[in-house]
Amino acid sequence: AQSVTQLDSHVSVSEGTPVLLRCNYSSSYSPSLFWYVQHPNKGLQLLLKYTSAATLVKGINGFEAEFKKSETSFHLTKPSAHMSDAAEYFCVVSPLTGTYKYIFGTGTRLKVLA
Amino acid sequence: GAVVSQHPSWVICKSGTSVKIECRSLDFQATTMFWYRQFPKQSLMLMATSNEGSKATYEQGVEKDKFLINHASLTLSTLTVTSAHPEDSSFYICSASSSGANGYNEQFFGPGTRLTVL
């Protein structure tokens, strides 16, 4: 069975400060892991993905995440927040093979303060 | 590449009518398409998985007769909300996946359709 937990429902940071959005997963199989961002009334945009290659994954807009198997974590970070980063972020786990179903986390709403 | 479109982007209908939402993969063949529902300020809930030429597989609790899914071609899937009621109002998002593409199972998401039932 697979599951994903986003540890914070809301995160507030000041513009220019680092961002950390936490995600822990549980998987019986080698997983794929994804981070998506969703702006209000918009669809999902892929930020980055881990698919059993390099454990440190770099994505778009300066985001990166590190796959830590020993900690079953896949936290999303960015060195310096921008106002445009304010949005909802979803961590997703999926098996590498099989049904391709995505298991979504409950989401973290990022607020960026001026 | 890997672009998925949805039509319409928003729709308002009267209670009791049916609404069809289209999901198209524009530049790849989608062997599998997924339909999600998202309530305000909540995560995405998987409604059903459809494979081209096969009947859709619905998640537990999703009414098959209420939400009709057709995946007639490798580039098109449709979701029909039959006899819509205000509680069906929601944001519906589709995604498409190509089996074995790039060696892993990435889903490509459409922009979503906002359904409002009066």
Side-chain angles (χ1 to χ4, degrees):
Chain A
Q2 297 188 311
S3 67
V4 59
T5 302
Q6 291 185 242
L7 298 163
D8 306 293
S9 58
H10 293 82
V11 170
S12 291
V13 300
S14 296
E15 190 175 23
T17 64
V19 176
L20 170 64
L21 304 184
R22 298 183 293 167
C23 173
N24 285 96
Y25 70 93
S26 173
S27 178
S28 303
Y29 308 96
S30 297
S32 294
L33 291 157
F34 306 83
W35 274 100
Y36 286 87
V37 61
Q38 184 181 34
H39 289 89
N41 296 311
K42 300 291 185 183
L44 300 179
Q45 181 183 19
L46 178 67
L47 285 176
L48 47 81
K49 56 195 174 191
Y50 166 77
T51 55
S52 77
T55 56
L56 181 61
V57 182
K58 294 188 183 297
I60 62 172
N61 301 335
F63 286 95
E64 64 179 41
E66 186 172 6
F67 173 72
K68 292 187 177 180
K69 187 175 181 179
S70 61
E71 299 178 9
T72 61
S73 69
F74 191 58
H75 300 335
L76 181 70
T77 61
K78 182 174 180 177
S80 176
H82 191 272
M83 296 298 288
S84 60
D85 294 327
E88 188 83 20
Y89 291 79
F90 293 101
C91 182
V92 175
V93 65
S94 180
L96 278 173
T97 59
T99 64
Y100 306 152
K101 281 188 180 181
Y102 276 15
I103 308 298
F104 277 82
T106 50
T108 298
R109 183 164 296 274
L110 176 65
K111 187 174 182 179
V112 182
L113 307 172
Chain B
V3 178
V4 177
S5 69
Q6 279 184 244
H7 178 80
S9 56
W10 59 270
V11 56
I12 301 173
C13 69
K14 292 182 179 180
S15 186
T17 61
S18 294
V19 174
K20 180 183 284 188
I21 301 170
E22 292 186 347
C23 177
R24 293 182 184 272
S25 57
L26 299 183
D27 52 3
F28 68 102
Q29 294 187 322
T31 50
T32 306
M33 286 185 168
F34 304 83
W35 286 95
Y36 296 85
R37 183 173 181 176
Q38 186 179 31
F39 291 102
K41 299 187 178 182
Q42 293 191 25
S43 189
L44 278 70
M45 179 191 78
L46 180 64
M47 300 173 66
T49 303
S50 74
N51 293 295
E52 184 264 339
S54 302
K55 287 186 178 180
T57 301
Y58 290 80
E59 295 299 303
Q60 191 172 10
V62 177
E63 299 177 60
K64 300 178 183 182
D65 296 331
K66 159 69 80 175
F67 300 101
L68 300 179
I69 292 172
N70 183 278
H71 191 165
S73 77
L74 285 172
T75 59
L76 174 65
S77 177
T78 60
L79 168 68
T80 301
V81 183
T82 62
S83 186
H85 291 282
E87 57 266 29
D88 299 323
S89 298
S90 194
F91 195 51
Y92 293 89
I93 301 175
C94 75
S95 71
S97 177
S98 178
S99 178
N102 299 321
Y104 54 85
N105 55 319
E106 183 174 351
Q107 294 181 25
F108 301 96
F109 288 85
T113 297
R114 171 76 59 195
L115 170 63
T116 302
V117 185
L118 302 176

